[in-house]
Amino acid sequence: MTGRKNASRTKRRNERTKMRSRRQEYGKLFNGNIYAQWEFVFIWGLILAMLLGLWLYIFADSFPITDESCERTAVVVTELKISDEKAVFRDGSSGKKYKLDSGYFDLERFTAEVSEGDVLSAVISHGKIVSAAKGESVYLELDDMKDLHETLRSVSYIVLAVCGVWLLYIAVSWYIMYNAEKFPKLIKYFVKPEYINKDKVYGKG
């Protein structure tokens, strides 16, 4: 009998501890309305970081190619490596490393015709090769690269706009979650029922 009483006390004590812990996890960020608030912050921040990372990745590689930014030069191919649809090599004169992996780059012809020590007629813009040829063979067209960069720049703006929409969603979500008592029906579209503090939002358990 004593064992049963002790077990019953332990169970009630564990339940009270669990309830206290649960109340603490509602926190102040959402005015005590939402359980496990930092899960939402983590997910919001993670998605935002991914969108900003994607925007930065695209934007950084979409610099405008202008006549002023272009420099025509001869590149001596050294340390040539072909792998994963890319051609990576150094300029034997300057020691600079270049990578050609654009969808407009004719890798098949480049691999067949270019070898160590060959000299390429290249156009450099912002430290990257935007045109490459050997004699009459052109492996990377300048006009194609200009079109590609303009397209990438437009795509980067779209991604940035999505970031803005996501920030707006976060702001609206936070407002509704913080004022859940004012939006008891709307809150369900932003939060799963098990995350809602029903005692506070609906006035019931």
Side-chain angles (χ1 to χ4, degrees):
M1 179 69 75
T2 302
R4 290 182 180 177
K5 288 182 178 179
N6 290 336
S8 179
R9 291 195 194 99
T10 301
K11 183 178 180 181
R12 288 196 298 270
R13 187 165 55 249
N14 291 339
E15 288 177 350
R16 287 195 297 269
T17 301
K18 185 177 180 180
M19 289 301 296
R20 282 197 299 270
S21 175
R22 189 176 181 86
R23 283 196 295 272
Q24 291 171 2
E25 290 193 30
Y26 282 117
K28 298 180 179 180
L29 182 62
F30 300 119
N31 197 25
N33 294 325
I34 306 300
Y35 175 69
Q37 60 183 17
W38 296 112
E39 290 185 20
F40 292 91
V41 174
F42 174 76
I43 293 173
W44 287 348
L46 179 62
I47 294 176
L48 181 60
M50 291 173 62
L51 287 172
L52 286 174
L54 178 60
W55 168 76
L56 184 61
Y57 176 78
I58 297 174
F59 184 81
D61 204 35
S62 64
F63 52 84
I65 302 173
T66 63
D67 293 338
E68 292 76 16
S69 71
C70 291
E71 176 189 356
R72 298 184 181 276
T73 185
V75 174
V76 181
V77 178
T78 58
E79 300 179 23
L80 176 62
K81 295 181 181 179
I82 307 292
S83 62
D84 300 326
E85 301 300 319
K86 300 175 184 177
V88 181
F89 55 87
R90 289 188 183 276
D91 177 9
S93 300
S94 65
K96 293 181 180 179
K97 188 176 182 178
Y98 296 105
K99 179 176 68 173
L100 299 177
D101 58 0
S102 167
Y104 291 102
F105 176 53
D106 193 340
L107 180 63
E108 186 176 350
R109 286 181 60 200
F110 184 91
T111 304
E113 299 176 2
V114 177
S115 57
E116 292 273 350
D118 285 346
V119 179
L120 298 179
S121 298
V123 176
I124 311 294
S125 179
H126 297 82
K128 294 187 178 182
I129 292 181
V130 293
S131 177
K134 176 186 173 184
E136 298 297 322
S137 296
V138 179
Y139 310 111
L140 191 61
E141 291 278 3
L142 180 58
D143 288 340
D144 288 342
M145 288 301 291
K146 286 182 177 180
D147 292 340
L148 175 62
H149 280 228
E150 288 178 3
T151 301
L152 288 175
R153 180 62 56 112
S154 299
V155 172
S156 74
Y157 291 147
I158 293 174
V159 175
L160 191 60
V162 174
C163 288
V165 172
W166 181 245
L167 283 173
L168 179 61
Y169 173 82
I170 291 175
V172 172
S173 298
W174 175 85
Y175 182 79
I176 291 175
M177 292 159 75
Y178 189 88
N179 299 282
E181 300 97 325
K182 298 179 181 178
F183 308 101
K185 294 182 179 180
L186 192 58
I187 187 65
K188 296 178 181 179
Y189 294 100
F190 292 85
V191 183
K192 291 182 179 180
E194 57 266 29
Y195 283 89
I196 301 174
N197 186 349
K198 297 180 177 62
D199 289 329
K200 189 169 184 298
V201 175
Y202 304 115
K204 60 181 180 179

